[in-house]
Amino acid sequence: DENFLAFSRAATGRLRDELAKYPFADGGVVLFGQYRFLAVEYLLIAVLNSCNSMRVNEELDISTTHYLDINHADIVARIDLTEWETNPQSTRYLTFLKGRVGRKVSDFFMDFLAAAEGFDTKAQNRGLLQAVDDYCDDAQLGKNERQSVRQQVYSYCNEQLQAGEEIELQALSQELAPVGEKDFLQFSSEQGYQLEETFPADRGTLRQLTKFAGSGGGISLNFDAMLLGERIFWDPATDTLTIRGTPPNLRDQLQRRSSGGK
């Protein structure tokens, strides 16, 4: 019921009060933006940090300048006002970043929004991966067939991600061959994975369809899933990976080091 200026001022005061509850909070520049895109009305709210840098003018004079660090913003929320008004029961009208600098940072922002997480994108994508693996198990597919199915799923999901579209289970099901009399949509529905009809793709989770990756203890590994059992072998009893045929650039480094080089 308020105009945009009055609303933004009142909301900024509310945000300041929430920030005051946390001793670590440094504040920043608060951005409110209302805009329309493809006939949908949005409200964008962000807390941005400012950074110092140097500027050179046409006379080659150097001076200090300040800029907003938009590329590293991690306190951002977007409200789909159209969805909120037309479908009050929706859990999908608020999109936000969880924050990379600690759970408490996102907590104060969620308190400010008076919001709770109603839809977990990563959980949906993990559920999809589990459904795909179980689907292959149910069909008793061999290794190559399993990987072919995973690649089909990854290709479809990646195309949706690149296009800025969500994963649609119905469309994905049509990409995969049925198991007996059941297609993937029927299988996932009957097995109770609680997958939504549509949900956003999560790049990091979907990458597990075609690759193995992990890091820790000074080791970082990343390899195509097809190589497991062919060039890369894992012994679960000893927790040992055996790699046959190392990449040329890695092999060159190992040879130089073993021969006393630096």
Side-chain angles (χ1 to χ4, degrees), residues 40-114:
V40 178
E41 202 76 28
Y42 293 102
L43 176 66
L44 180 72
I45 306 174
V47 180
L48 304 172
N49 293 322
S50 59
C51 297
N52 296 326
S53 185
M54 305 304 294
R55 177 176 59 189
V56 180
N57 62 20
E58 294 179 355
E59 287 74 34
L60 300 184
D61 294 326
I62 300 177
S63 60
T64 301
T65 185
H66 304 279
Y67 67 93
L68 296 178
D69 192 9
I70 297 176
N71 290 334
H72 297 97
D74 55 16
I75 305 178
V76 184
R78 187 186 70 177
I79 302 171
D80 184 334
L81 297 175
T82 303
E83 173 75 6
W84 187 29
E85 290 178 348
T86 59
N87 185 13
Q89 303 304 316
S90 172
T91 59
R92 306 278 299 274
Y93 61 82
L94 174 65
T95 304
F96 61 94
L97 295 180
K98 291 188 176 180
R100 296 183 292 271
V101 292
R103 174 64 184 166
K104 289 186 177 180
V105 173
S106 58
D107 280 349
F108 90 79
F109 195 53
M110 295 299 283
D111 290 343
F112 156 67
L113 295 171

Side-chain angles (χ1 to χ4, degrees), residues 178-189:
V179 175
E181 298 180 355
K182 298 180 183 178
D183 59 17
F184 181 72
L185 182 61
Q186 293 173 304
F187 176 84
S188 59
S189 177

